[in-house]
Amino acid sequence: MDVREDLRAGREPLPRIMQAVRGLAAGQGLVLRTTFEPIPLYRVLGVKGYSHEARRLESGDWEIVFVPGERRGLFGRKAKAEPKAPPPPQAEADWAEPVRTLDNRGLLPPEPMIRILGTLEEMGPGQVLEAFNDREPQFLFPELEARGHLIRVEKREDGARLLIRHA
Amino acid sequence: MNGVELSPWTLRYVTVGLASFLLAQLLVVLGLAYPAFPVAAPTTLATVHLITIGWLSVLMLGVLHQFIPVIGAKKLRSQSASGVTFWLVTVGFVGLVLGFLEMPSLLLPIGGTLVVAGVLIAVWNLGVTLAASRPLRLPALYVAASLAFLTATVLLGLSFATALTLSGVFAPTAAMALLSQGLALHLLGGIGGWFGLTAMGVADRLLAMFALAPEERGRTRHWAFWLTSLGIAIAWLSGFGLMFSPSALLQGIGLVGWIALFAGVALYLLDMRELYRRRRRRELEANAVFGRVALWALGIAAALTAAAGALSQFSNLAPALAYALLVGWLSGLALSQLYKIVPFLTWLDRYGKALGKTKVPRVQDLVVERRARPVFWLYFAGAALGTAGMLTDAAAVVRLATGLTMLATLSIAWELWLVRHPRPQLMHGGQESA
């Protein structure tokens, strides 16, 4: 959702945002683009159980990904949003077919992480990398996040299939 | 997005732990504790708690604040609570150790209360994180059970400290019963329940990960957990009941618990052998090589304990058995796994951001295994010699053996310090030194 036009036109974007949030199905997230970092909104949506990842776009605008998580409400109560099925933060259509595939099974940690980050450096925006790992690479997630890449994890009998969308 | 963060506190826990272990060994080498002094001597109690709280508990708490988020794929509930635990437990155990030297001293219950407070915060913090990652897999189940025993052990310890220093809180007969019969529970819950189950669970995961062995290895692995943890629980609860009323039935139930415990440990060792057999990585790194030596120490110590129980020599041999478990198995395992954990966390912290963008050294380049391997052998040789010395009541042998383990510990601590503080000329490929 992009509210930059509203902001430039001097319109108050909050009603539209809240309407969009109310329209989300359980487990769905929201990507928001604004002209400034909407810090008050973090609190509002935090109470509703959303956690956020903000990043500065090259144009100087902001992109914030809100995902339903386990944040607690104002009074310490468990937030309503169910974290059970972490959703893709972007719509299905935005995920192209993988252009590269890595089989990292049988590699000693942190080798899988090195290979994934190395391969991503050779890829372009929007391209998708597929990787098979022995387990969910916990220490890879923060690094992907810091670089703006998106990841989907599919648990499998023999480990995990990762789909990573280049930022 | 999920994923865990590096705990800023883990390495501080490790530092306090290693310093406590070195100090405890120094006290033994100087002849200030058992076997040169009686078991109940103030310096012996101080030394024992330097090892059990200052070294093993502090270390395991620090490692769990990093390990639980990783195995459960959930962020730690609170990093700052981890810091509060660190300070409460560290200050509390220093007070406790000084309190033992000055017995009877108010420092005992005060230090004990601080330790208990820190532990309860950790149990909440780690417990909530574990609960969020349900359904729990086996390493997480081990840790959940060990946290329950940790709570029982520190509460029992605090009631000892109170009974020893504050007359009037407990009736005199209750205080006597607590101190005489409760000690076995303190040992069982502490060594078996808290340290033992934590070490078993962490080793199950870490060794499988770094030896590239399958995590699911069949039913033995699950039986090992349930028999060991329920066995300790049954033995502990029946012992607790026996403090209040003697009963042949409770004694019988307790015996069943002990048998289940030994059967569980035996199955655990069989499963670990399976882990090493089915590994895909032929060349093992130092942590896996010496993790296996530590598992041998567990096997030997468990066999000795079972034999002592069968021959009704348990109370005579308790110090030697505790030594074999604490120094041979638990500390040996801890040192060998630290030799992997510290470089791994340091590498992530230092090079994570540069991965894929520039060439970075490998994790194994942060250590010099060739230099460390003889040191680990020295450590385990010292622990074996020390166990023999304890079994034969040869104080001089124990002091000599502790000198060997102390030198080895010091050397490993130095290797870990070098990992954290690389000297430029030792760095491979001219990386910046952090």
Side-chain angles (χ1 to χ4, degrees):
Chain A
M1 157 166 210
D2 196 334
V3 294
R4 285 177 293 191
E5 283 307 309
D6 292 281
L7 289 165
R8 288 193 190 106
R11 285 192 294 272
E12 169 59 53
L14 191 63
R16 255 191 77 200
I17 296 173
M18 295 314 288
Q19 195 184 354
V21 169
R22 277 193 295 273
L24 291 176
Q28 252 184 333
L30 176 72
V31 181
L32 183 69
R33 294 211 175 84
T34 63
T35 53
F36 64 96
E37 191 177 10
I39 291 170
L41 188 63
Y42 296 161
R43 189 168 174 80
V44 175
L45 289 183
V47 172
K48 287 182 171 286
Y50 290 86
S51 58
H52 62 270
E53 292 303 330
R55 92 190 157 89
R56 197 88 193 245
L57 300 173
E58 266 167 33
S59 58
D61 294 339
W62 288 80
E63 180 180 274
I64 300 98
V65 180
F66 289 99
V67 286
E70 265 213 307
R71 287 295 165 91
R72 277 161 194 267
L74 263 186
F75 303 102
R77 280 174 318 194
K78 256 214 169 148
K80 288 242 171 70
E82 270 299 314
K84 269 191 183 150
Q90 295 232 334
E92 193 69 30
D94 284 351
W95 287 71
E97 285 297 305
V99 293
R100 299 276 297 266
T101 296
L102 291 175
D103 188 352
N104 294 326
R105 284 169 294 193
L107 291 177
L108 192 69
E111 198 60 37
M113 171 172 175
I114 298 173
R115 290 185 67 185
I116 288 172
L117 291 172
T119 308
L120 282 168
E121 288 302 317
E122 299 162 2
M123 292 169 47
Q127 288 188 324
V128 174
L129 168 68
E130 178 187 43
F132 294 91
N133 278 27
D134 284 324
R135 54 183 67 76
E136 283 185 60
Q138 288 305 318
F139 290 112
L140 173 66
F141 296 138
E143 214 42 65
L144 291 176
E145 196 172 356
R147 297 169 190 210
H149 306 312
L150 298 173
I151 183 166
R152 285 196 210 158
V153 181
E154 181 191 314
K155 284 184 194 173
R156 293 156 53 102
E157 279 287 298
D158 61 341
R161 174 175 177 253
L162 314 174
L163 285 174
I164 301 160
R165 186 181 181 278
H166 198 290
Chain B
M1 182 163 302
N2 48 3
V4 302
E5 51 211 340
L6 288 177
S7 169
W9 293 97
T10 295
L11 290 172
R12 291 176 224 195
Y13 282 93
V14 171
T15 307
V16 168
L18 283 169
S20 307
F21 190 36
L22 285 168
L23 182 58
Q25 293 177 98
L26 183 65
L27 290 174
V28 175
V29 171
L30 295 176
L32 295 173
Y34 188 87
F37 277 76
V39 176
T43 49
T44 301
L45 291 174
T47 305
V48 167
H49 287 85
L50 272 172
I51 294 179
T52 53
I53 304 181
W55 160 232
L56 289 171
S57 292
V58 166
L59 175 82
M60 288 187 177
L61 283 171
V63 169
L64 287 182
H65 280 100
Q66 183 68 73
F67 182 74
I68 287 180
V70 172
I71 57 172
K74 280 279 175 257
K75 279 202 168 87
L76 184 68
R77 180 68 175 84
S78 162
Q79 291 291 352
S80 46
S82 168
V84 173
T85 292
F86 170 78
W87 286 112
L88 283 174
V89 172
T90 301
V91 172
F93 105 84
V94 170
L96 202 63
V97 166
L98 294 174
F100 279 121
L101 299 176
E102 293 284 317
M103 215 160 34
S105 155
L106 276 181
L107 279 174
L108 273 184
I110 294 172
T113 305
L114 292 178
V115 170
V116 169
V119 163
L120 291 180
I121 290 173
V123 169
W124 162 78
N125 196 9
L126 299 171
V128 169
T129 310
L130 268 177
S133 64
R134 280 172 302 174
L136 301 183
R137 302 183 58 186
L138 206 65
L141 283 174
Y142 269 111
V143 173
S146 87
L147 290 177
F149 285 110
L150 166 63
T151 311
T153 303
V154 294
L155 289 175
L156 200 57
L158 180 59
S159 57
F160 293 166
T162 312
L164 281 169
T165 45
L166 302 170
S167 55
V169 175
F170 293 100
T173 49
M176 281 301 293
L178 183 66
L179 291 171
S180 61
Q181 296 175 33
L183 184 62
L185 295 182
H186 194 52
L187 288 172
L188 174 64
I191 298 180
W194 160 228
F195 299 149
L197 293 176
T198 304
M200 288 165 81
V202 172
D204 175 278
R205 175 65 189 253
L206 279 189
L207 293 175
M209 196 155 94
F210 288 112
L212 295 178
E215 272 173 28
E216 282 302 335
R217 296 177 292 275
R219 284 204 201 142
T220 313
R221 176 167 175 260
H222 293 265
W223 275 100
F225 165 72
W226 289 108
L227 281 174
T228 310
S229 55
L230 289 177
I232 299 173
I234 291 167
W236 197 94
L237 288 171
S238 75
F240 192 76
L242 285 169
M243 284 206 303
F244 301 99
S245 66
S247 139
L249 176 67
L250 276 180
Q251 275 182 340
I253 294 174
L255 185 64
V256 172
W258 278 97
I259 291 171
L261 160 59
F262 285 113
V265 170
L267 289 181
Y268 175 77
L269 291 170
L270 284 176
D271 177 57
M272 285 287 122
R273 194 176 64 165
E274 187 69 10
L275 182 154
Y276 278 94
R277 279 192 176 163
R278 287 171 62 181
R279 71 178 197 266
R280 277 172 291 166
R281 188 180 171 82
R282 296 331 293 175
E283 275 298 301
L284 290 177
E285 293 182 307
N287 78 305
V289 172
F290 297 103
R292 181 158 56 182
V293 179
L295 289 170
W296 273 102
L298 166 61
I300 294 167
L304 284 173
T305 309
L311 299 171
S312 305
Q313 292 294 313
F314 192 77
S315 45
N316 288 339
L317 295 179
L321 301 172
Y323 175 92
L325 289 167
L326 292 173
V327 179
W329 172 38
L330 294 163
S331 301
L333 184 71
L335 289 172
S336 60
Q337 298 318 300
L338 278 181
Y339 195 69
K340 184 77 201 181
I341 296 170
V342 172
F344 193 83
L345 295 179
T346 304
W347 181 89
L348 272 177
D349 188 31
R350 196 176 291 154
Y351 302 114
K353 298 220 173 347
L355 286 181
K357 295 177 178 162
T358 56
K359 197 163 161 36
V360 302
R362 299 171 309 160
V363 180
Q364 22 323 14
D365 295 337
L366 267 57
V367 291
V368 188
E369 282 211 0
R370 200 168 18 84
R371 207 166 55 198
R373 282 180 186 241
V375 174
F376 276 106
W377 285 120
L378 177 71
Y379 180 86
F380 284 105
L385 184 66
T387 306
M390 294 288 273
L391 284 169
T392 53
D393 253 334
V397 174
V398 176
R399 286 175 62 183
L400 171 71
T402 306
L404 300 181
T405 55
M406 185 177 80
L407 274 181
T409 311
L410 196 59
S411 174
I412 294 162
W414 170 245
E415 296 287 341
L416 297 178
W417 197 85
L418 285 181
V419 169
R420 299 296 300 164
H421 308 88
R423 292 178 295 181
Q425 69 269 26
L426 289 181
M427 294 297 295
H428 300 250
Q431 292 294 327
E432 49 143 8
S433 63

